[in-house]
Amino acid sequence: MTEPPKLQAEIQSDVRKNPRRVAFILRRTSPQVRAQGDERVMTYPAALARFVIALEVAFLVLVWVSLVANAPLEGIADPMHTPNPAKAPWYFLGLQELLHYFPPFVAGVLIPGLVVGALIVIPYFNVNIEGRSIWAYPSRRWRVISAVIAFVVIIFLLFDVKQFRQSAEALPLADRLLDMIVPMVPVLLVSGALLLSSRFSAESPRPYQRWLFARPISFWIMTWFLVELVVLTAVGTFFRGPGWTWVWPWQL
């Protein structure tokens, strides 16, 4: 009678070559899978050539736009005559729009400083080390929903408490209503999409539903920030007239 083969437990995960050995799969490890190497492109000359071509195409497009569209300079600045409204360049109009809602220190220093600091610091924290979506843990569902509702209320109070305190003579009723509604549009859109994603799962039939369900919390925060910035910049560019009141674009 032959003796049974000895089984030895050791660190070995290639079960196809060693089927008799026991493999211990520890946390954050996975069995070895031999896959074909992905196609690679050398930085030089392949990738560099593509970058140069893209740069030349962008340069030609800018030259063509500058030849077709006339963008004359305005007259020499007159310190005795300040235009109404005095608007900053378009890339600063989001900040200028914030001045309509907050004091100068808050709108020009505190909020931009916090945003820039968050963009620098957040990537160094393991906020989503396992790559899980915000709805990966059903036990946290009500906490997430409560946090979203609290966030909406806080943003509403921050942007709109000033409009509630203003007297009826300070601004027309339509302007006061628009000042209360417009900053809340990005918040409601992103919050609504976030809460809508809770109805989906990784097994949802439509690709966009699975994609929406898999988004982490960092995605939703960054999306809200970008949408809010775009909306405030658009409002300051196309919908602000003399005295920083609301006007339609064709009335400017």
Side-chain angles (χ1 to χ4, degrees), residues 12-16 23-26 29-34:
Q12 176 58 259
S13 60
D14 193 345
V15 295
R16 293 176 295 183
F24 291 94
I25 309 302
L26 304 177
T29 64
S30 59
Q32 180 180 1
V33 178
R34 296 186 180 275

Side-chain angles (χ1 to χ4, degrees), residues 47-107:
L48 183 61
R50 297 178 184 179
F51 297 155
V52 172
I53 293 174
L55 181 62
E56 292 177 350
V57 171
F59 176 76
L60 292 176
V61 170
L62 290 176
V63 172
W64 177 79
V65 171
S66 64
L67 294 175
V68 174
N70 186 23
L73 295 176
E74 296 182 355
I76 299 176
D78 184 4
M80 303 301 296
H81 177 72
T82 302
N84 187 12
K87 292 188 178 182
W90 68 268
Y91 44 84
F92 282 137
L93 278 177
L95 294 177
Q96 189 172 1
E97 180 69 15
L98 284 177
L99 290 171
H100 183 70
Y101 298 93
F102 301 105
F105 176 78
V106 176

Side-chain angles (χ1 to χ4, degrees), residues 152-200:
V152 172
V153 173
I154 291 174
I155 295 299
F156 177 80
L157 294 177
L158 287 176
F159 275 93
D160 296 339
V161 66
K162 177 182 177 181
Q163 307 306 322
F164 279 123
R165 296 176 61 183
Q166 286 181 338
S167 61
E169 294 79 12
L171 287 175
L173 178 60
D175 287 13
R176 297 175 64 194
L177 292 177
L178 287 173
D179 284 339
M180 289 188 294
I181 294 173
V182 170
M184 293 300 300
V185 171
V187 182
L188 296 177
L189 288 177
V190 177
S191 301
L194 171 59
L195 296 179
L196 180 64
S197 66
S198 65
R199 302 179 57 186
F200 307 140

Side-chain angles (χ1 to χ4, degrees), residues 8 27 43 100 157 171-172 214 248:
Q8 181 178 359
R27 180 174 174 81
T43 303
H100 183 70
L157 294 177
L171 287 175
W248 296 109

Side-chain angles (χ1 to χ4, degrees), residues 33 75 88 114 117 123 165 194 209 212 217 225:
V33 178
L114 292 176
R165 296 176 61 183
L194 171 59
Q209 294 177 349
L212 202 63
I217 183 62
F225 168 71

